[in-house]
Amino acid sequence: MNGDSLYGFVAVLGLTVVTLVARAFFMIPERELPMPDWLKRGLKYAP
Amino acid sequence: MTLFRLAAQTRDPAFREGVRDLFGTALGVSAWGLVTGVAMVKSGMSVWLAVFMSLAVYAGSAQLSIIPLLAVGAPLWVVWLTASCVNLRFVIFSSMWRAYFQALPLRQRLAIGYFSGDVIFVAFMQRYPRPEPAPDQVPYFWGAALLNWLAWQIPSIAGIFLADAVPLEWGLGFAGVLALLGVLLSLLQDRATWVATGVAASAALAAYAIPLKLNILVAIAAAVAAGLGMESAQRHARQQALRRRAHKGDGQ
């Protein structure tokens, strides 16, 4: 494997981690993170 | 999430519901997948790296944003940071996923997170508007996730291999925009949401110059503020109306 394809390969590995962490972020910690009620309601509008 | 468990899910009727509910947006998702696949190869990426990226990363907007960076050999931290910024909306979505799936073991939560996406999120929220867990949610999710994954990966990989044959002038990206628009319109349930949407759209356009798609975050913040503002205004108006009615009763 030459340098170029190693770059691409490592890039994709990192990107996969980025996808996983971003999408599962708030589900990773076991305990509920404290969030004020207004923030919970407000997040409904985020999408 | 072993394949055994996944196979068991397919027997639950909620699984088929999930599959059916995602049919509507499948065309738009496929168009985006095709565009992304073609774009990857047209930028000079090797076919096999593109296939690997499509299967592993499974994040269309992030992939599109880093294609030019990879093409010029940008430093890896820039690539990863850009993808993280583009994916920030998923961080917000994950706080909503938590309400349904937090009781599941960590590995299942990670799998669910990984396979979730804009479109699945919207469909799931419509099907289960109350943020509380229920037994048929897991099979529903996997039905929806499976259809969405296939609707994305098959055209994307086809696009990768056909990249030399498909002309970019077809404007398939436009079809993707239409699909998202359809999804958005079905979300607009009450006036507060309409106002929030209007505010978000203006904020996103106004902040377009901000790099790394951070204007999406600005729009999200604006929408949240607008939605909460509308809610409190409506509550205030309702209280006023009640007070007026009470006074009229006294006056009689």
Side-chain angles (χ1 to χ4, degrees), chain B residues 32-40 43 53 57 59-70 82 86 152 173 213:
Chain B
W32 271 120
L34 180 59
V35 165
T36 306
V38 169
M40 284 197 282
S43 78
M53 180 182 289
V57 180
S61 47
Q63 287 169 244
L64 285 172
S65 67
I66 56 105
I67 285 171
L69 295 177
L70 286 180
T82 306
V86 172
W152 172 269
K213 295 231 170 120

Side-chain angles (χ1 to χ4, degrees), chain A residues 7 19 23 26-27 31 41, chain B residues 57 74 94 98 109 231:
Chain A
Y7 165 78
T19 298
R23 291 205 176 129
F26 278 110
M27 291 196 279
R31 275 175 321 144
R41 277 188 297 121
Chain B
V57 180
S94 74
R98 191 192 168 87
R109 299 204 305 267
E231 259 190 22

Side-chain angles (χ1 to χ4, degrees), chain B residues 170-214:
Chain B
W170 283 14
L172 288 168
F174 185 60
V177 173
L178 284 180
L180 279 177
L181 209 55
V183 158
L184 175 65
L185 287 172
S186 61
L187 268 183
L188 296 172
Q189 294 156 348
D190 54 50
R191 200 175 322 157
T193 324
W194 273 96
V195 172
T197 308
V199 171
S202 336
L205 284 173
Y208 194 67
I210 301 178
L212 301 179
K213 295 231 170 120
L214 284 172

Side-chain angles (χ1 to χ4, degrees), chain B residues 1 13 18-20 38 78 94 98 116 130 158 172 211 236-237 243:
Chain B
M1 185 86 184
V19 171
R20 260 201 330 260
V38 169
V78 172
S94 74
R98 191 192 168 87
S116 69
R130 288 220 309 259
L172 288 168
H236 190 76
R243 234 173 279 144

Side-chain angles (χ1 to χ4, degrees), chain B residues 23 86 102 135 146:
Chain B
F23 266 134
V86 172
Q102 195 49 33
L146 180 70

